[in-house]
Amino acid sequence: MDSPQNSPPDVPAELDSGPREPILTLPSALTAYILLLALIHLRVLLPPELENWTIDVFGFIPKRYDSSLLNLQIPGGSGAKVWTFFTYSLLHANLTHLGFNVLWLLPFGSALARRFGALRFYLFLAVTAAAGALAHLVTHEHAIAPMIGASASVSGAMAAAIRFAFVRGSFLSFSRTDAETAAKVPALPLSRALRDGRVLGFLSVWFGVNIIFGIGAIGVGSEGATVAWQAHIGGFFAGLLLFSLFDPVPRARGDAADASSRDISTRI
């Protein structure tokens, strides 16, 4: 049963009190994750043979699961059929690929890490990475090219964050509070969020961009590399639908959620 929250009129009274923490001050959980991605990316300094071996062992290769190719030898063995559902998301093709994912994580990942806490945040990233890998496997059943990159997890974080991002006082509202408070406003139920024009607008733009990427097969830096947009969508849907399983913040009552989602600024 949903837990009742303080009535909405109490929220605006706190908006102008005290100094505001910059919204992009990184929480420690996200900082550690970005540092891990950067550290792992140092693999590009390895000799080419060893770097290629690393991608084959830890990247996600759909052909690895093709039971008709019993004699196909892919580095990593049986264990790679399990760990690559997650480890591929820690590898990136180049600095542009890495930087693009980190750039999107700054606003959405920061809010989510503050809201979930470190353990839930890392588990959420793993689950959305696995969902992205599964979507890629279903749509690229016999592909031999490894898929790498944190984009599925980033997409999942964006999807989860929009469940509360536009609520009054949150980080994409016109009347946001400090970063910690903004990340912990009660989220809207999914059915109510999908009736919010701002959420629908965000979804339209996000899916539109991914469709354009898919049709155009836009490369991500290295020659022959394309955007695995199906994995993006898999991670996005997982983040959107599974958000409530990770969210420790109690839901607001229906009437309170309606009132708190109205983001009409009283300032001139």
Side-chain angles (χ1 to χ4, degrees):
M1 185 174 292
D2 296 338
S3 301
Q5 301 293 311
N6 291 335
S7 58
D10 291 338
V11 177
E14 299 176 0
L15 298 182
D16 296 317
S17 60
R20 293 185 177 186
E21 179 185 349
I23 203 68
L24 286 184
T25 300
L26 296 186
S28 57
L30 180 59
T31 301
Y33 179 68
I34 292 174
L35 288 176
L36 176 63
L37 294 180
L39 181 62
I40 290 175
H41 191 65
L42 292 178
R43 73 170 212 291
V44 298
L45 301 178
L46 296 172
E49 312 80 37
L50 190 52
E51 184 191 355
N52 291 335
W53 177 86
T54 302
I55 294 176
D56 286 340
V57 172
F58 297 105
F60 188 81
I61 304 176
K63 201 89 169 178
R64 202 190 303 272
Y65 306 90
D66 193 337
S67 59
S68 65
L69 300 175
L70 298 178
N71 295 322
L72 181 66
Q73 296 296 321
I74 300 179
S78 299
K81 291 184 177 182
V82 178
W83 67 60
T84 56
F85 267 90
F86 313 100
T87 55
Y88 82 92
S89 66
L90 302 176
L91 302 169
H92 289 84
N94 48 47
L95 281 176
T96 301
H97 188 200
L98 174 61
F100 188 79
N101 281 329
V102 169
L103 181 65
W104 281 110
L105 271 176
L106 293 181
F108 297 98
S110 292
L112 214 59
R114 287 189 174 93
R115 188 180 186 94
F116 285 175
L119 182 59
R120 283 189 178 95
F121 179 63
Y122 294 142
L123 183 58
F124 179 85
L125 293 178
V127 168
T128 50
L134 182 60
H136 186 71
L137 177 60
V138 169
T139 54
H140 296 76
E141 185 178 359
H142 303 293
I144 191 67
M147 178 181 70
I148 58 176
S151 297
S153 294
V154 173
S155 298
M158 293 170 69
I162 65 171
R163 292 285 300 274
F164 61 91
F166 297 106
V167 174
R168 183 172 177 80
S170 193
F171 70 103
L172 288 185
S173 72
F174 291 112
S175 51
R176 69 171 178 83
T177 57
D178 65 276
E180 199 68 35
T181 304
K184 294 182 179 178
V185 298
L188 296 175
L190 180 58
S191 60
R192 202 175 301 279
L194 293 178
R195 295 199 299 269
D196 188 305
R198 296 162 298 180
V199 173
L200 292 176
F202 184 94
L203 289 173
S204 298
V205 171
W206 191 91
F207 276 101
V209 169
N210 275 276
I211 290 172
I212 292 171
F213 270 54
I215 293 174
I218 299 174
V220 190
S222 62
E223 270 190 52
T226 58
V227 174
W229 59 274
Q230 295 93 339
H232 296 189
I233 292 176
F236 191 90
F237 271 116
L240 189 66
L241 299 175
L242 300 179
F243 166 78
S244 296
L245 298 180
F246 293 86
D247 189 20
V249 180
R251 295 285 85 80
R253 294 175 304 180
D255 55 345
D258 278 344
S260 65
S261 64
R262 300 190 191 103
D263 192 18
I264 303 173
S265 178
T266 57
R267 300 178 185 176
I268 298 176

